[in-house]
Amino acid sequence: MRVFVSLVPPRCLRLEELYLNWYNFANEALRYEVENPRSFGKAHRIVVVGMGGSAIAGDMIAIIANSTGSIPVFVWKDFYTPKTLIDDSTAVLAISYSGNTRETILSLEQALRRTDMVGVVASNGKLLEIAKEKRLPYIQVRRGLVPRAALPILLYASLALLEACDVKLVEKSDVNEGIEVLRDVETAKSDSIYIASYLQRARLPLIVATTRYNALATRVKNELNENAKMPAKVEIAPELFHNDIVGWEAAVVSDRALIIESDIEYERALLSFYAEYLQERGFEVTELKLRGRSLLARYLYGSLVAGLASVRIAKMRGVDPMTTHSISKYKNLVTALEDRVRSSIEY
Amino acid sequence: MRVFVSLVPPRCLRLEELYLNWYNFANEALRYEVENPRSFGKAHRIVVVGMGGSAIAGDMIAIIANSTGSIPVFVWKDFYTPKTLIDDSTAVLAISYSGNTRETILSLEQALRRTDMVGVVASNGKLLEIAKEKRLPYIQVRRGLVPRAALPILLYASLALLEACDVKLVEKSDVNEGIEVLRDVETAKSDSIYIASYLQRARLPLIVATTRYNALATRVKNELNENAKMPAKVEIAPELFHNDIVGWEAAVVSDRALIIESDIEYERALLSFYAEYLQERGFEVTELKLRGRSLLARYLYGSLVAGLASVRIAKMRGVDPMTTHSISKYKNLVTALEDRVRSSIEY
């Protein structure tokens, strides 16, 4: 049984305070121990299985691996994984904050039949039980949070688990920079106030990013969904220039767009072109500015601003950012469906 | 120089007639010759590079490979490919209908520095020039279409090229079934009239599918974008149940949703649950029914209905389904930016 030095009393804190505590959470995550480490060194790809606020850490790791790692990382979000994706040369990382996400448990069970390189990141639940029983590499993270508030914990624990299993995706200097950008909460707060007052007047905002910031655009959308109870639409450049852009030519709606800045100069030019186009179509457009040099730091900073902004929008709209009733209803359905799911899946 | 037996006079045909001619196009594609075949048999993954209406064939092939193939297929849509993704054990397929898509040309040039297993599918342009000069496996397809009207050609030519290079992803029976569902144009027309009258009244429709139909949802969206000049939002189950669903809890908009049916029973139950939820939130909901047993056939039939429906909506809205002015503006920008792009990309 692990005991955490409680920097903050979990659960009873409001979501905003949890986000403002990310600097401490990230530092805490660096101190977690990896249980049962073993080498994933012979793996030629990594597949992350998970859903929602847990899988987004995998999405970010996939982007970072493409930039600074040496092995491709893919994320699969479903009750199964395709048989082509996981073989005995694949390392699988299952991330579920609660440890009880049914999709992730079933995907983990499948993975165990195909490869012996399987790791787990969870705070609790069935996933941890399986990890202990099968002596899989795992990290048990702090309990009592909502998954979205645990982002830096899930991200850093996942990177640490992979590193302990001989898969190094980021340099120590990037890890440290990622923590540093979380320290300056005043700047993040100030940026989030601007973004919140901007997006609060949107009906279904358009979140735009380039491929390298794909997972941050998804994170921003998910935070608006879960905290502010606001739908959003994500589009990724340059692909959006080959289809979505035409959709606005005769659109009967226009709204507010949030464009996530890129650190690559030609991508900035593409995004500027798109911002002007959207404005011509009646959109208001603003930019989410990021901080830091490394992708990891920029992702963490952008996620912090999005989290704070979405909580602020929730307050403005009079909704509770902590509760997600419709996800709970879905989870009841899945529990009822579990036997049918299990009998449909090829192991 | 290849000479095509012209079943239809290209370009001068209206888009609707092109879609109605898919049965002939698919048959024609089966007769294309693969030039310079070589074995990709040692590849442990396939990466398709392309954009928009060309890349969607790759998206579909990736889904089909997951279901019936033995090797994973990934699609990357940008001016570059990540260095982790393409190594000397990767086969790369570049698809560009025009053969002049800048993103695809740059990605192909990068790929050629990393692997000698590279193939090309194009009707013309720089991509074909490179293929001929480097003696790469290639298929030259019929000219004079718009890329979206060439879907069965691009899909069948890509599968044929891979098969000639020792990568077999689908059985002959599935290929034949895919052609058969395109023959019954009266059923597809009738289905498309219903879908068009339904979506014509949408402002920004929500297109929903399960992971196995992900690429069809994207195709439906892209057809609405390009032909009907209508924006759309795509959401994929089960991931949508972990974030997007909450966004509608306090949404100030509701619209029309099109749910793409699944062939898996428990996925139908998930989609029914979501349909009811959306209706409670003020949405109208209907389903896109598919035909055929194989994924390939179901994808082709759904694409045909979506194509016909989107042209019909274009007529109802008084827009020209053939022109895509905003994509043309983007292409001018990219030509002007090309040197900056090239100097930013790591080869």
Side-chain angles (χ1 to χ4, degrees):
Chain A
M1 189 64 202
R2 298 174 61 99
V3 177
F4 297 113
V5 180
S6 199
L7 295 163
V8 286
R11 191 70 199 177
C12 60
L13 271 181
R14 288 180 308 124
L15 195 51
E16 184 178 15
E17 290 172 55
L18 297 178
Y19 289 131
L20 294 174
N21 202 43
W22 272 11
Y23 172 75
N24 293 320
F25 282 169
N27 273 307
E28 176 179 303
L30 289 188
R31 294 192 298 269
Y32 290 154
E33 267 172 53
V34 180
E35 309 289 340
N36 312 324
R38 80 172 65 158
S39 182
F40 294 170
K42 77 174 176 78
H44 58 56
R45 76 176 155 255
I46 295 168
V47 174
V48 178
V49 296
M51 303 300 298
S54 300
I56 194 78
D59 292 324
M60 293 181 184
I61 289 169
I63 292 279
I64 289 164
N66 283 334
S67 169
T68 59
S70 57
I71 180 169
V73 177
F74 304 102
V75 186
W76 198 265
K77 303 174 182 179
D78 213 309
F79 290 91
Y80 64 93
T81 50
K83 57 185 173 180
T84 54
L85 204 60
I86 301 176
D87 59 20
D88 61 8
S89 300
T90 307
V92 174
L93 178 63
I95 310 176
S96 165
Y97 181 72
S98 69
N100 284 322
T101 311
R102 302 318 293 172
E103 293 93 325
T104 313
I105 294 167
L106 290 170
S107 296
L108 175 75
E109 288 174 358
Q110 279 186 313
L112 286 168
R113 292 164 187 254
R114 300 191 199 141
T115 174
D116 55 12
M117 295 180 283
V118 176
V120 164
V121 172
S123 72
N124 204 348
K126 177 82 176 159
L127 227 52
L128 272 193
E129 278 174 34
I130 296 172
K132 287 173 186 173
E133 183 196 321
K134 306 268 184 190
R135 299 198 56 76
L136 307 176
Y138 74 87
I139 289 182
Q140 182 176 5
V141 303
R142 157 193 294 270
R143 290 185 201 177
L145 305 172
V146 288
R148 56 196 178 279
L151 178 70
I153 294 177
L154 297 174
L155 193 49
Y156 276 19
S158 298
L159 291 170
L161 184 140
L162 291 173
E163 190 159 340
C165 297
D166 301 331
V167 178
K168 187 171 177 172
L169 297 177
V170 289
E171 295 301 320
K172 185 73 188 156
S173 57
D174 290 2
V175 169
N176 291 338
E177 195 200 18
I179 294 181
E180 275 314 302
V181 295
L182 300 177
R183 188 203 286 263
D184 181 8
V185 292
E186 292 310 318
T187 308
K189 260 193 200 166
S190 157
D191 284 356
S192 75
I193 290 169
Y194 171 72
I195 298 293
S197 68
Y198 175 75
L199 287 180
Q200 193 258 337
R201 287 188 290 266
R203 298 152 59 88
L204 191 151
L206 177 60
I207 315 296
V208 178
T210 55
T211 309
R212 278 160 58 89
Y213 292 93
N214 191 334
L216 184 53
T218 302
R219 174 71 182 186
V220 172
K221 169 190 174 295
N222 293 353
E223 290 289 79
L224 291 172
N225 294 160
E226 294 185 56
N227 295 337
K229 278 68 181 170
M230 177 184 273
K233 167 173 153 75
V234 168
E235 290 296 331
I236 300 302
E239 173 63 10
L240 70 85
F241 293 115
H242 294 265
N243 37 67
D244 199 70
I245 190 173
V246 190
W248 303 107
E249 283 185 17
V252 291
V253 289
S254 64
D255 204 322
R256 296 196 163 209
L258 181 69
I259 295 186
I260 297 175
E261 69 162 13
S262 171
D263 53 337
I264 295 178
E265 194 259 345
Y266 80 83
E267 291 189 349
R268 289 175 175 273
L270 297 180
L271 294 173
S272 293
F273 166 81
Y274 191 51
E276 275 179 43
Y277 172 79
L278 287 175
Q279 281 166 334
E280 285 166 19
R281 304 257 66 81
F283 268 79
E284 294 196 50
V285 181
T286 201
E287 199 175 40
L288 175 59
K289 304 270 187 199
L290 304 176
R291 288 164 64 86
R293 177 198 46 75
S294 63
L295 266 182
L296 180 59
R298 295 170 71 80
Y299 262 87
L300 281 167
Y301 183 77
S303 299
L304 178 56
V305 171
L308 292 169
S310 60
V311 169
R312 205 174 171 87
I313 297 168
K315 284 184 200 159
M316 293 167 172
R317 305 182 91 207
V319 296
D320 178 356
M322 283 296 273
T323 59
T324 52
H325 293 302
S326 45
I327 297 180
S328 305
K329 280 188 199 165
Y330 165 72
K331 289 187 173 173
N332 293 340
L333 170 74
V334 167
T335 304
L337 277 179
E338 175 144 357
D339 288 345
R340 285 151 76 183
V341 174
R342 204 176 276 272
S343 67
S344 295
I345 293 169
E346 180 188 20
Y347 271 85
Chain B
M1 191 59 204
R2 297 174 61 102
V3 177
F4 297 112
V5 180
S6 200
L7 295 164
V8 288
R11 192 69 199 174
C12 59
L13 272 181
R14 289 179 305 125
L15 195 50
E16 184 178 14
E17 291 173 54
L18 296 177
Y19 289 131
L20 294 175
N21 203 43
W22 272 11
Y23 173 75
N24 293 319
F25 283 169
N27 273 306
E28 177 179 303
L30 288 189
R31 295 191 297 270
Y32 290 154
E33 269 171 51
V34 180
E35 309 288 339
N36 310 322
R38 82 171 64 159
S39 182
F40 294 171
K42 77 176 176 75
H44 58 56
R45 76 175 154 255
I46 296 168
V47 174
V48 178
V49 297
M51 304 300 298
S54 301
I56 195 77
D59 292 325
M60 294 181 184
I61 288 169
I63 292 278
I64 289 164
N66 283 333
S67 168
T68 60
S70 57
I71 180 171
V73 177
F74 304 101
V75 186
W76 197 265
K77 303 174 181 179
D78 213 310
F79 291 91
Y80 64 93
T81 50
K83 58 185 172 182
T84 53
L85 205 59
I86 300 176
D87 60 20
D88 61 8
S89 300
T90 307
V92 174
L93 178 63
I95 310 176
S96 164
Y97 181 73
S98 69
N100 284 322
T101 311
R102 303 317 294 171
E103 293 93 327
T104 314
I105 293 166
L106 290 170
S107 295
L108 175 75
E109 288 175 358
Q110 278 185 313
L112 287 167
R113 290 164 188 253
R114 300 191 199 139
T115 175
D116 56 11
M117 294 179 284
V118 176
V120 165
V121 172
S123 73
N124 204 348
K126 177 79 175 161
L127 226 53
L128 272 192
E129 280 173 34
I130 296 171
K132 287 173 186 172
E133 185 197 319
K134 306 269 184 190
R135 300 196 56 75
L136 306 176
Y138 73 87
I139 289 182
Q140 181 177 6
V141 303
R142 159 192 292 270
R143 290 187 200 174
L145 306 173
V146 288
R148 56 196 178 281
L151 177 70
I153 294 178
L154 297 174
L155 192 49
Y156 275 17
S158 298
L159 291 170
L161 185 141
L162 291 173
E163 189 159 340
C165 296
D166 301 331
V167 178
K168 187 170 177 174
L169 297 177
V170 288
E171 295 300 319
K172 185 72 186 159
S173 57
D174 290 1
V175 169
N176 290 339
E177 195 199 17
I179 293 181
E180 277 312 304
V181 295
L182 299 177
R183 188 205 285 263
D184 180 9
V185 292
E186 292 311 316
T187 307
K189 260 193 198 168
S190 158
D191 284 355
S192 76
I193 289 169
Y194 171 71
I195 298 292
S197 68
Y198 174 75
L199 287 180
Q200 193 257 337
R201 288 187 291 266
R203 297 152 61 90
L204 192 151
L206 177 60
I207 316 296
V208 178
T210 54
T211 309
R212 278 161 58 90
Y213 292 93
N214 191 334
L216 183 53
T218 303
R219 173 69 183 189
V220 172
K221 169 189 175 296
N222 293 353
E223 291 288 79
L224 291 172
N225 295 159
E226 293 185 58
N227 295 337
K229 277 71 182 168
M230 177 184 274
K233 168 172 154 72
V234 168
E235 290 297 330
I236 301 302
E239 173 64 10
L240 69 84
F241 293 114
H242 293 265
N243 37 65
D244 199 70
I245 190 173
V246 190
W248 304 106
E249 283 185 16
V252 291
V253 288
S254 64
D255 204 324
R256 297 197 162 207
L258 181 68
I259 295 187
I260 297 174
E261 68 161 14
S262 171
D263 53 337
I264 294 176
E265 194 259 345
Y266 81 84
E267 292 190 349
R268 289 175 175 272
L270 296 179
L271 293 173
S272 293
F273 167 81
Y274 191 51
E276 274 178 44
Y277 173 79
L278 287 175
Q279 282 167 332
E280 284 166 19
R281 304 257 68 79
F283 268 79
E284 294 197 47
V285 181
T286 201
E287 199 175 40
L288 175 59
K289 304 271 187 198
L290 304 177
R291 287 164 65 86
R293 178 198 45 77
S294 63
L295 266 181
L296 180 59
R298 296 170 70 81
Y299 262 88
L300 281 167
Y301 184 76
S303 299
L304 178 57
V305 171
L308 292 169
S310 61
V311 169
R312 203 171 173 90
I313 297 169
K315 284 184 200 161
M316 293 166 171
R317 305 182 89 206
V319 297
D320 178 356
M322 283 296 272
T323 60
T324 52
H325 293 302
S326 45
I327 296 179
S328 304
K329 280 188 199 165
Y330 165 73
K331 289 188 174 174
N332 293 339
L333 169 75
V334 168
T335 304
L337 276 179
E338 174 144 357
D339 288 346
R340 284 151 76 184
V341 175
R342 205 175 275 272
S343 67
S344 294
I345 294 171
E346 180 189 16
Y347 271 86

